[in-house]
Amino acid sequence: TVELVESGGGSVQAGGSLRLSCAASGITWSGYCLAWFRQTPGKEREGVAALYVGSTSTYYADSVKGRFTISRDSAKNTLFLDMNRMLPEDTAMYYCAAEVTCLRWKRGEFDYWGQGTQVTVSS
């Protein structure tokens, strides 16, 4: 059974920082694309960032480039999203996901999803 569990969400002031974590179990990371998505009611789901295990390649949405960093701790099977200089428009439910390829990752066609963690940025 594959399980992805997000944590680290909460409320933060604009300009502040949060670190999201995604603990994975029941999955072998080798050859997988790992990604973060976010969604707010009334808005389309947005791909935030992605990386491919075994590669140095990372991918970011233009809206977060330079502010967010995606990384992983392979020993702990955990994916991270470090969010800095946060803006009110970063408010959303954040999800981690995994699939076998990062090709067309922004389409969100991933095999596995976590339950999500809420992030709220106030101004």
Side-chain angles (χ1 to χ4, degrees), residues 17-64:
S17 301
L18 282 176
R19 174 177 291 169
L20 304 184
S21 299
C22 175
S25 62
I27 185 173
T28 300
W29 282 25
S30 179
Y32 267 83
C33 178
L34 309 175
W36 289 95
F37 293 82
R38 65 186 183 185
Q39 188 165 26
T40 300
K43 297 179 64 178
E44 295 183 350
R45 181 180 59 198
E46 177 185 22
V48 177
L51 63 78
Y52 189 80
V53 176
S55 171
T56 59
S57 298
T58 57
Y59 311 90
Y60 294 95
D62 289 340
S63 59
V64 307

Side-chain angles (χ1 to χ4, degrees), residues 93-120:
M93 183 73 75
Y94 283 73
Y95 301 88
C96 67
E99 66 168 340
V100 297
T101 179
C102 283
L103 184 64
R104 303 181 298 275
W105 71 276
K106 290 185 177 180
R107 296 184 181 181
E109 298 173 350
F110 279 59
D111 297 324
Y112 307 105
W113 293 84
Q115 85 291 342
T117 185
Q118 179 67 42
V119 172
T120 302

